[in-house]
Amino acid sequence: MIKVAMTSVYVEDVARAHAFYTGVLGFETRTHVNPGGGKPFVTVGAREGAQPDLELLLEPGDGPIAEPYRRAVREAGLPSIVFSVDDLRAEFERLRGEGVHFVREPEKQGPVLTALLDDTVGNLIQLTQPLG
């Protein structure tokens, strides 16, 4: 069986992204090392044992491939990544209370409820909750 072990999201600033993804979104730090070259290798993941084998790499997004890609995805209004939540409306209120800017408030899209937020480091993130 093949499973996803790690995926990445390009970010403008790894330290700022790490602070947002852990301090605001609530992920835990899984890896934080500096292999040299001034760019740390940082991964985060879900807390409390949820998805223990899945990590999100906060990838520096200033390279010649990453920057145009990241900019094009954002300008198209597309999420860089989608996170699932149990109660989207509650999460929306919590995050809005933390000062998170939502590009799109919760709305029904077929069988799911979705919202789109700005991660402060160049990306749009979609939150989704299955309905029914």
Side-chain angles (χ1 to χ4, degrees), residues 9 14 16-17 20-22 26 38 48 56-57 68 74 78 81 101 116 123:
V9 62
V14 173
R16 238 178 48 230
F20 181 82
Y21 281 71
T22 57
E48 300 172 11
L56 177 64
L57 172 62
R74 178 162 182 119
L78 299 173
I81 194 157
H101 170 69
L116 195 63
N123 302 294

Side-chain angles (χ1 to χ4, degrees), residues 7-85:
T7 190
S8 63
V9 62
Y10 291 119
V11 298
E12 292 172 347
D13 180 293
V14 173
R16 238 178 48 230
H18 182 240
F20 181 82
Y21 281 71
T22 57
V24 177
L25 294 183
F27 287 99
E28 66 182 13
T29 303
R30 298 278 178 84
T31 307
H32 194 293
V33 296
N34 193 338
K39 297 193 179 189
F41 182 87
V42 179
T43 68
V44 297
R47 289 189 184 277
E48 300 172 11
Q51 298 177 304
D53 58 346
L54 179 59
E55 297 182 49
L56 177 64
L57 172 62
L58 303 176
E59 185 85 46
D62 56 357
I65 294 171
E67 177 57 29
Y69 169 79
R70 191 176 51 77
R71 187 175 48 248
V73 168
R74 178 162 182 119
E75 288 173 0
L78 299 173
S80 296
I81 194 157
V82 177
F83 297 133
S84 66
V85 296

Side-chain angles (χ1 to χ4, degrees), residues 2 38 46 54 61 65 70 84 92 96 100 108 123-126 128:
I2 297 175
L54 179 59
I65 294 171
R70 191 176 51 77
S84 66
F92 171 77
R96 194 167 62 172
V100 172
K108 185 175 184 241
N123 302 294
L124 299 176
I125 296 174
Q126 183 172 307
T128 185

